[in-house]
Amino acid sequence: MRNLALVFCFGALVGAGIVACGDDSSSTNATDTPSSESSLTSSSSVDNSAGAKSSSSEKTSSDSKPSSSDAKSSSSEKVATSSETVPESSATSSSAVSSSDSVPASSSNEEDEGDGKCTNCDSFTAADPVLTENGGKGSVTTYGSITAKETSLGGACNYGQTNIQYYAAIHVNVSPGDEKGPWNGGAACGGCVRVKAKTPDGWKRVTVRITDRCPDADCGVDLGGAPASDIMGIQVGRYYGEWEFVSCEGVEGVWGDSTSIWVKEGASEFWSIIHVRNPKDMVKSITIYGVDTRDFYELEMVVGTENFWAVPPEILQTDNRYRIVVKYRSGTDDEWKIKGSELAEPEANLYLYEHRD
């Protein structure tokens, strides 16, 4: 019996040792678990910190808003550098392709540039306009009365009194005095531009006909009364906008009358200059072909008159018939059939519908 008691005690001691070893292992795992959670917490903190840095960098980039594509690239590189340990997010990608990345610095403090919403929208900082493939971006301003909504008086395009309600002036320069804007000596006259501008309600859009040249160096598009009211309401000022050239066909409010060739006052059988009123788009060329003869004339714009084309005197001094073909930027032509002497009549308004076949 005594021996059995000794064996039992020895077995109990061995079992206790095994349990003790199990406790040590459990203790080690328990220590590892808080360490792992701490690691996760630390990782989360790093991600949040990196995210904050990325957000801060993007905000700085957005605030500076470089106006050139090189500056845009530089801004994008800065964002990438500040968030190297953070995977690219959809928000970052969206910011990189934002339509307003290259907008000059503004006091409008836009909160969501993608949908066109902004605050202090009428206080966009004046800056040189930026050319795009088919238009531009920069300041959208207004002239005239937004309450009376006067029709266009023809402006520098020399159209005279019109019934055009939706009209605007386009910028002459990109940088002051360089004359690299779309005005181009009056070549933009008659063309239509679709303008969109940032407002507290988001993007607002309007289509206008170019009848004038911009009055100041920082102008992009300067709207007449009716379109300005549509975009700005009663809060007029300098807005951020983007614009593109479009055809005038089918657009309401940009037509003052039917399409016609107008002969400038002072014309005679020795001198005459003409232009197209209410065209489908800006005029790219005017060519005169003889019907009774094989004559062919490619007219040239008259330097300094803005939006007038010179007619050769030999056409003015005959009743021979001619075809006048007007080519527009959008590629749709118009064609008149007239007598040469009709182009020598001062202030003649030769309507297209009366001078076809």
Side-chain angles (χ1 to χ4, degrees):
M1 291 293 292
R2 184 176 182 179
N3 289 338
L4 287 172
L6 289 172
V7 169
F8 178 79
C9 291
F10 178 76
L13 289 172
V14 171
I18 292 172
V19 170
C21 289
D23 286 346
D24 287 344
S25 174
S26 175
S27 174
T28 301
N29 286 340
T31 303
D32 287 347
T33 301
S35 174
S36 175
E37 290 174 354
S38 175
S39 174
L40 288 172
T41 304
S42 174
S43 174
S44 175
S45 298
V46 169
D47 287 347
N48 289 339
S49 173
K53 288 179 184 178
S54 176
S55 175
S56 173
S57 174
E58 289 174 1
K59 185 176 186 303
T60 302
S61 173
S62 176
D63 287 344
S64 63
K65 295 175 186 169
S67 59
S68 68
S69 57
D70 291 339
K72 185 194 302 184
S73 175
S74 174
S75 172
S76 176
E77 289 171 4
K78 288 179 182 177
V79 173
T81 302
S82 67
S83 55
E84 287 175 349
T85 59
V86 183
E88 183 179 3
S89 69
S90 59
T92 304
S93 299
S94 175
S95 175
V97 298
S98 170
S99 64
S100 55
D101 278 347
S102 59
V103 181
S106 167
S107 59
S108 56
N109 299 320
E110 294 88 350
E111 295 161 355
D112 188 346
E113 295 181 348
D115 61 9
K117 290 185 178 180
C118 56
T119 56
N120 300 322
C121 302
D122 58 322
S123 300
F124 180 71
T125 303
D128 293 341
V130 177
L131 294 178
T132 60
E133 183 177 358
N134 189 36
K137 56 178 69 174
S139 296
V140 174
T141 51
T142 184
Y143 68 95
S145 169
I146 63 167
T147 55
K149 298 185 179 182
E150 303 100 333
T151 54
S152 170
L153 298 177
C157 291
N158 296 292
Y159 292 138
Q161 177 66 61
T162 75
N163 292 318
I164 300 172
Q165 294 180 312
Y166 283 78
Y167 57 95
I170 196 78
H171 63 105
V172 177
N173 304 309
V174 175
S175 296
D178 66 7
E179 297 189 1
K180 292 183 178 180
W183 173 253
N184 191 21
C189 285
C192 283
V193 177
R194 182 180 294 120
V195 180
K196 68 176 185 178
K198 289 185 175 182
T199 77
D201 300 321
W203 293 112
K204 288 189 177 180
R205 296 168 174 81
V206 67
T207 300
V208 294
R209 188 186 287 277
I210 301 303
T211 62
D212 208 350
R213 56 186 292 166
C214 266
D216 69 272
D218 295 317
C219 176
V221 173
D222 199 25
L223 301 173
S229 178
D230 287 358
I231 286 179
M232 303 175 185
I234 61 172
Q235 194 67 38
V236 298
R238 186 180 295 273
Y239 284 63
Y240 168 74
E242 301 173 11
W243 52 89
E244 63 175 339
F245 287 94
V246 296
S247 172
C248 299
E249 290 189 90
V251 179
E252 295 183 5
V254 301
W255 300 87
D257 201 349
S258 298
T259 304
S260 66
I261 289 176
W262 190 80
V263 183
K264 189 170 176 57
E265 62 272 12
S268 70
E269 60 181 316
F270 304 105
W271 176 87
S272 178
I273 55 178
I274 61 175
H275 66 209
V276 182
R277 293 189 169 181
N278 296 290
K280 295 174 181 175
D281 202 339
M282 65 176 70
V283 176
K284 299 300 292 183
S285 68
I286 300 178
T287 308
I288 299 181
Y289 301 88
V291 174
D292 300 320
T293 67
R294 294 184 178 181
D295 295 342
F296 167 84
Y297 304 91
E298 190 75 41
L299 303 193
E300 295 183 359
M301 285 193 72
V302 182
V303 177
T305 61
E306 299 183 321
N307 192 32
F308 276 103
W309 305 72
V311 181
E314 53 268 35
I315 293 177
L316 308 174
Q317 299 166 6
T318 179
D319 286 335
N320 287 341
R321 293 174 299 160
Y322 294 91
R323 292 189 303 117
I324 302 181
V325 178
V326 175
K327 292 185 178 293
Y328 300 112
R329 182 200 63 89
S330 53
T332 306
D333 302 346
D334 276 330
E335 181 176 320
W336 284 252
K337 288 187 177 179
I338 63 168
K339 294 179 180 179
S341 57
E342 292 182 85
L343 297 177
E345 298 176 12
E347 301 183 59
N349 207 19
L350 307 172
Y351 287 104
L352 177 60
Y353 68 85
E354 294 178 338
H355 293 81
R356 286 177 170 154
D357 293 329

